[in-house]
Amino acid sequence: MKPYLCPNCKTNRSRFNRIKQVATSIKLDPRSGQIISECNPDQLAVYHVDYRGPEFKVQCGACGTIEDEQSFLSYAEHNPLS
């Protein structure tokens, strides 16, 4: 694992939360918004795009900023510890 640095507070390098992204595909009633069904990826209709986002996000344990992991990695890479 590579080091993180918060791109917002610019000081935190040690306290983070990893937020696991678990997508659930659902079908809603267009009028009421009620869930009609939950679908697993094998049951998705041809026109239903499956989730393509990150597996997890990272939250700074100091300021609360939530970003993709790449933001924290890139900021640490461009601002190494001396």
Side-chain angles (χ1 to χ4, degrees):
M1 188 164 188
K2 295 184 179 182
Y4 288 167
L5 174 58
C6 178
N8 185 52
C9 68
K10 300 170 178 57
T11 57
N12 180 29
R13 292 180 183 267
S14 61
R15 296 178 318 279
F16 301 95
N17 297 310
R18 291 179 81 193
I19 304 165
K20 190 167 188 128
Q21 306 260 101
V22 180
T24 303
S25 299
I26 59 173
K27 185 173 181 180
L28 299 179
D29 179 288
R31 294 186 199 279
S32 69
Q34 296 288 83
I35 296 175
I36 296 171
S37 64
E38 289 188 17
C39 309
N40 68 41
D42 298 334
Q43 297 171 321
L44 294 178
V46 175
Y47 51 84
H48 189 123
V49 177
D50 60 331
Y51 178 71
R52 295 183 186 147
E55 181 180 350
F56 59 89
K57 295 236 181 202
V58 175
Q59 180 182 32
C60 175
C63 74
T65 296
I66 300 173
E67 297 281 343
D68 288 346
E69 180 185 38
Q70 191 56 47
S71 297
F72 289 86
L73 291 170
S74 293
Y75 204 74
E77 183 179 329
H78 290 95
N79 298 280
L81 283 171
S82 42

